[in-house]
Amino acid sequence: MTDRPLLLLDVDGPLNPFRARLLRHRGYVSRRVHPADWSSRQKPGSRRLRRGLRIRLHPGHGAQLLTLPYELAWATAWMHEANEMIGPAIGLPADLPVIEFTDLLFTEDPDGLCWKTRRVVEWAAGRPFVWVDDLITDLDVRHVAEHHAGRALLLRIDPRRGLGEREFAELERWARDVSPWS
């Protein structure tokens, strides 16, 4: 265990800006992958299944994330497949910790929270953390403030833009503010 704050990463939205129209000029690369959950929902033998799910990733994001003073972990529906299909494509190690959401995937929360929020708070266990996700709402921010003992920043990412310079600057600033060793 380290005393660095956690940086909890979602894939779709922050790293894969799936709602963007054109990203080629910003350094993003399209790739086709076959995540198990997505593949299981496709018609067997279909063209769509053969081609795979198209995602857009920026090969430089891994290096940028690794320069930040955080302990990285996945907080995504991709779970362990993020280590297999996303991390290596952007330059992250293939063994980052993963928050398990298996029993919660896309389950509606009775209080209107993002389906990940309660597990994120539980997993962080009082450690300072930043969570980057496109699904974060004001309800999630309030819930974390009321139920998490440590400092936390919930950084909502526009799924049309993904992580950008502004967000990386915010991550650096927050780490400096929260870390006694910076």
Side-chain angles (χ1 to χ4, degrees):
M1 184 151 148
T2 175
D3 60 352
R4 294 186 302 168
L6 298 164
L7 177 52
L8 308 177
L9 299 166
D10 181 30
V11 171
D12 295 319
L15 298 175
N16 171 31
F18 63 95
R19 295 230 188 266
R21 291 182 186 246
L22 296 173
L23 291 170
R24 189 175 312 223
H25 66 281
R26 291 192 7 215
Y28 282 81
V29 177
S30 289
R31 20 181 331 119
R32 298 238 177 222
V33 294
H34 293 85
D37 183 59
W38 177 86
S39 295
S40 71
R41 291 181 277 121
Q42 305 309 308
K43 184 177 178 181
S46 68
R47 180 174 187 259
R48 186 176 171 139
L49 180 59
R50 286 191 311 272
R51 290 187 72 199
L53 174 67
R54 185 178 76 174
I55 59 173
R56 297 175 179 127
L57 301 171
H58 193 295
H61 275 164
Q64 285 181 280
L65 289 165
L66 290 171
T67 64
L68 297 171
Y70 290 93
E71 180 182 333
L72 304 179
W74 295 113
T76 176
W78 289 72
M79 290 184 283
H80 292 279
E81 287 181 317
N83 274 325
E84 299 165 25
M85 299 178 192
I86 306 301
I90 64 172
L92 289 177
D95 62 349
L96 293 182
V98 175
I99 300 177
E100 297 286 345
F101 295 113
T102 307
D103 58 332
L104 298 174
L105 280 176
F106 309 110
T107 304
E108 189 173 326
D109 184 87
D111 297 324
L113 299 172
C114 171
W115 58 272
K116 299 177 189 178
T117 304
R118 294 177 197 277
R119 182 68 48 87
V120 163
V121 170
E122 175 187 310
W123 195 86
R127 285 183 63 188
F129 72 87
V130 175
W131 175 24
V132 294
D133 203 305
D134 62 308
L135 298 176
I136 294 168
T137 68
D138 290 341
L139 285 173
D140 302 302
V141 173
R142 282 194 298 275
H143 180 85
V144 170
E146 293 169 4
H147 295 92
H148 181 67
R151 292 191 51 194
L153 171 65
L154 279 63
L155 190 55
R156 185 178 187 285
I157 305 299
D158 184 339
R160 295 170 301 185
R161 293 184 50 246
L163 278 173
E165 289 180 31
R166 183 176 57 205
E167 291 80 13
F168 278 103
E170 177 68 9
L171 291 170
E172 288 179 22
R173 184 203 59 75
W174 194 85
R176 277 194 313 271
D177 290 349
V178 76
S179 301
W181 38 260
S182 59

